[in-house]
Amino acid sequence: AESPSIYSRFSYWTYKLCRGKSISQIHLQALPISIEDDAGKQANTDDSYINSVGALGLNSHNSLKLPPKSVYSGKTQFYFHTVHDLGQYLPPSTPDYKSLIISAWGPNEKIHNIPHEDIEYYIDGESCIYTPEEPNLESPKATKRQSKVVYEDDCCKRSHRTMEEFFEQKERIRILSITEPKPCRYVLLACRYCLKSDVADEESPFNRPKLSSNAIDQSAASILLRTYLQSSPADSDDDSFNHLPPMPPSQIEANKQLLRDMFSHAFDSYIYNAFPASELHPITCKPGEFHLVRLPALTLIDTLDTLIIMRNFTEFARSVERLRFLDLEMKREFNRTFTKSGKGKKREDEVGGLFAVNQDVSLFETTIRVLGGLLSAHQLAEAFMADRVTVEEVWDSYGEILLGNSTRSNYPIATESHTELDREDGLVNADETCRKFDVSDIPSPHKESSFQLPCNETTTHWIYDGFLLSLAQDIGSRLLCAFETDTGIPYGTVNLLYGVPKDETPVASLAGAGTLTLEFELLSRLTGEGSFGEAAKLATRALWTRRSLGLNLFGKHINTKSGQWTEYLSGIGSNSDSFYEYLIKHYLLFPDDSDFWLMFVIVYSGVWENNRLGDWYADIDMNHGLDGHVRQVFESLMAFYPGMQVLLGELTPSAKTLNSFFLVREFLGLLPERFNFVHWKTESGGDIHPLRPELLESCYFLHLATIGLQGSDCGPCSKTDSNHRTSTWLWAADFALQAVSKLAWTPCGFATVKKVGPTTTGMIDGDFVKINSDVQAEQKRLKIKHHDEMPSFFLSETIKYLYLTFDAEDNLLHTDSERDWIFTTEAHPIHHVPKVAIPDGPSSTA
């Protein structure tokens, strides 16, 4: 068995077992050696690049190329860096067999207790130099490498052997784990797959009813298995598989900690340097704005659910109170200034608040980031926040919301601004504290709620009172006027005080008008106001009826007044992507709207039959298909599609397409916005990486769908198996995580990366540094440049999907037995609320 991934751009160790012959340890490093331009000339002639290749001492005979059928095989080559011989097979019939083993492994090796068929020894590999741990032996020592392979008991008799139903297996070997208990001594735990005749009848999975001959395509099943395992047939006599080794649990935990550190670095920088601005400038550490949604606290609202998912319950409670305070202050300011000035005509029931701002906002972006963020945080708080946080962890003794790791017990209370001290020791009189933070300061919708004052003598828990749902209802009401068109297809922009701007264009995008039903229908079911969901569903149905009847395709832009398409280009990327996603997700979340399933099946078939080119998807003419204009460009937004296919059980096409997308990321280090997959280069202006999540979203879903298959071809591992949390998509997420943590880091967060390319971001090496001062030196070496922006979706989506990938076993969402969570297009998890359980008020939920 062999486990290299030739697609990896990063340096790592892998092992090759030639059973009965030898064991090798291979240090792989992947490098492109030539990139041809359109004229066929070699473009990669950078001196530093040539020197890096020459330093490896490599030539053509020891290079690994992409599979022969790959369209990129002439563009990229991959090399072995170093190969270590870990030993030659020692047959049990060898004279002095036991003596040789004891000489290699020491006198404590219990040879007589282990049958020969369950353990194999490989001895006298190449020399290994190490430093002894004994205090009196500090000089390096040399010894020969020694190895043994231990086969897991009853590995072939596991009951879950799903793939065995599809095709006959010959004997194969899978390396499950590798340890080095002592320097230069290696123990490989392996699984030896069995033939049908090796399994006892009473334990055999083949006693189950056979599938009919046309139930499963055997060639497709074989492709499915190999795709799951990222493997291909080996060039060896035993016809074994190649695949990545299992990821050690310690590395999974280290990645989770790295993601917590990355989140804290970015989130804390936003709170300290930018809040309540909409976004943060992560290079200059100043407040910024998102021009499509110029709203206060945008990043905070978009990130609320991530706080719960990462179990930062204290900061979630504080963030809710920050929004409550900001909403109250903006209501006061509105009443002091706006109403007295008599500026223009506003909404009749206007009372001010967080969203009472004279700003034009995108209907689509405000819905997915703000409305979706509030609804998700509301449902998560209802589900998981009971008795999680005490009042003392939220406010200090003056009613001020705490920051960082502060608690009331360690928060400094003797300041110049607070002089009413009861004693010289600085303790505050409880009665005076209560008067300073009076209940009348709480917004009126919550005066009758279970809100707890921070001055209680006894420790009490912070209680969530439904405040976020009231904010969601407010923003939803302000957006609803966008749907007032002749077609029901909404305008793209709304002014939050005055409605649709007079000069607003009637042209809307497919995604912008058709990615609204999850949030608006859920808002209807939580509040009892059906107008929200009905408006959004009408828009989707109006778009669907305007598809091209011959090909079942949609354009990218449409006139909301006439219902005529203004752009006929059709695809799954920009201006279209989430329309397809919301058809299937709406049906899964609200199955009583059964027509959404019918709409999705027809739309999905149209894309499959017309836009698909091999494992890629092209933009084509909605009326003429491939006979019209064809744009063969991969957009990073398209990377959501394999994840959506997982929801359908379309695992084979999903995995094959995502492999193709990951190849672009590995070629360039980071995924660009636009990449021409025919000429194999970034499109003009498309060579930036704005920290998008779509690739990692699909990686997460495929990891969940295939988790455990890495442990055994016999089927998913049980929880007693050390590899039950592993899949090869976990490695893909690991490589992506290390690249983002290194290449996008800035002093105040993470920033959009300029100019991704094979000689900049693509030259990232395997010696990854974590978030520390060295990362800037590494960026300088690679000539990395940044835009001074950190989109809110980096915290709400990118970090979240990565964290959930590595926290697949223990996360709150994955272990919730009461609710099934569906992610919105902004990665906000929401769950089903039935129509028959419409709540009585805004602070209740089903």
Side-chain angles (χ1 to χ4, degrees), residues 333-348 350 356-358 495-498:
E333 182 66 20
F334 184 87
N335 292 328
R336 283 196 300 264
T337 60
F338 191 93
T339 55
K340 293 179 180 179
S341 65
K343 297 179 181 178
K345 182 181 179 181
K346 62 182 187 303
R347 296 165 70 241
E348 293 181 359
E350 185 61 71
V357 292
N358 185 14
N495 184 285
L496 295 179
L497 279 181
Y498 304 113

Side-chain angles (χ1 to χ4, degrees), residues 180-450:
E180 190 175 356
K182 295 189 295 184
C184 309
R185 299 295 184 270
Y186 306 88
V187 178
L188 283 72
L189 179 64
C191 174
R192 181 172 48 232
Y193 308 148
C194 307
L195 301 177
K196 293 181 182 180
S197 57
D198 297 329
V199 185
D201 291 339
E202 63 273 11
E203 297 179 290
S204 174
F206 303 102
N207 292 332
R208 291 172 284 186
K210 284 192 174 183
L211 298 174
S212 63
S213 58
N214 55 3
I216 287 290
D217 180 82
Q218 293 191 4
S219 61
S222 179
I223 292 173
L224 173 63
L225 176 62
R226 295 181 182 181
T227 304
Y228 278 170
L229 305 176
Q230 301 265 308
S231 60
S232 59
D235 296 326
S236 59
D237 295 336
D238 61 1
D239 190 31
S240 61
F241 279 117
N242 309 324
H243 48 77
L244 282 163
M247 182 175 289
S250 60
Q251 186 167 347
I252 295 175
E253 293 303 316
N255 285 342
K256 288 165 62 176
Q257 185 58 51
L258 172 59
L259 284 160
R260 285 190 286 265
D261 293 341
M262 291 172 63
F263 179 86
S264 296
H265 174 60
F267 181 81
D268 292 353
S269 294
Y270 167 74
I271 292 296
Y272 282 103
N273 297 293
F275 181 80
S278 58
E279 288 188 349
L280 164 73
H281 289 314
I283 298 176
T284 57
C285 303
K286 295 180 180 179
E289 65 177 16
F290 177 45
H291 70 282
L292 293 178
V293 187
R294 292 188 176 95
L295 284 180
L298 172 65
T299 295
L300 181 62
I301 293 172
D302 210 5
T303 309
L304 286 171
D305 56 346
T306 309
L307 290 167
I308 289 184
I309 287 172
M310 299 184 79
R311 293 179 177 269
N312 195 340
F313 303 117
T314 300
E315 190 55 44
F316 175 85
R318 294 174 180 176
S319 295
V320 172
E321 297 309 324
R322 289 190 185 100
L323 292 175
R324 191 196 305 275
F325 177 79
L326 187 60
D327 181 62
L328 173 62
E329 288 299 305
M330 292 183 69
K331 284 179 178 177
R332 287 172 173 169
E333 182 66 20
F334 184 87
N335 292 328
R336 283 196 300 264
T337 60
F338 191 93
T339 55
K340 293 179 180 179
S341 65
K343 297 179 181 178
K345 182 181 179 181
K346 62 182 187 303
R347 296 165 70 241
E348 293 181 359
D349 57 347
E350 185 61 71
V351 296
L354 187 61
F355 304 127
V357 292
N358 185 14
Q359 291 288 348
D360 295 346
V361 299
S362 162
L363 170 66
F364 168 72
E365 293 289 354
T366 306
T367 297
I368 66 172
R369 300 194 194 206
V370 180
L371 179 57
L374 292 169
L375 292 172
S376 174
H378 168 75
Q379 287 196 311
L380 287 166
E382 292 275 334
F384 301 120
M385 282 302 296
D387 299 333
R388 294 283 190 179
V389 181
T390 65
V391 167
E392 290 187 346
E393 295 174 294
V394 180
W395 293 277
D396 69 5
S397 298
Y398 294 100
E400 297 289 337
I401 301 168
L402 294 167
L403 290 172
N405 295 322
S406 300
T407 62
R408 189 188 301 185
S409 61
N410 64 20
Y411 198 81
I413 60 174
T415 65
E416 294 181 2
S417 59
H418 299 289
T419 58
E420 299 177 17
L421 301 181
D422 184 53
R423 299 197 305 268
E424 292 183 359
D425 59 8
L427 295 179
V428 179
N429 182 280
D431 292 335
E432 293 193 13
T433 305
C434 288
R435 287 197 294 272
K436 291 177 186 176
F437 198 86
D438 193 84
V439 70
S440 62
D441 291 339
I442 302 171
S444 57
H446 309 288
K447 285 183 179 179
E448 302 302 322
S449 72
S450 53

Side-chain angles (χ1 to χ4, degrees), residues 618-679:
D619 286 335
I620 60 176
D621 187 281
M622 65 174 291
N623 295 309
H624 304 288
L626 292 173
D627 294 331
H629 174 65
V630 178
R631 181 172 175 263
Q632 300 177 88
V633 173
F634 163 64
E635 297 177 338
S636 61
L637 290 171
M638 293 178 175
F640 87 96
Y641 205 74
M644 186 198 73
Q645 289 178 304
V646 172
L647 298 178
L648 301 172
E650 291 271 67
L651 298 181
T652 297
S654 170
K656 293 172 71 176
T657 294
L658 190 57
N659 269 328
S660 298
F661 294 171
F662 260 105
L663 189 57
V664 178
R665 191 212 64 77
E666 289 156 1
F667 175 59
L668 299 174
L670 296 170
L671 200 67
E673 279 289 80
R674 295 184 300 279
F675 188 85
N676 190 302
F677 56 84
V678 175
H679 299 292

Side-chain angles (χ1 to χ4, degrees), residues 574-589:
S574 58
N575 297 306
S576 305
D577 48 351
S578 47
F579 171 76
Y580 306 98
E581 175 187 0
Y582 267 38
L583 289 177
I584 177 62
K585 287 185 175 180
H586 184 98
Y587 173 73
L588 293 175
L589 191 63

Side-chain angles (χ1 to χ4, degrees), residues 539-552:
T540 296
R541 289 162 178 150
L543 288 167
W544 188 79
T545 60
R546 288 167 170 83
R547 71 195 185 282
S548 60
L549 297 181
L551 301 178
N552 290 314

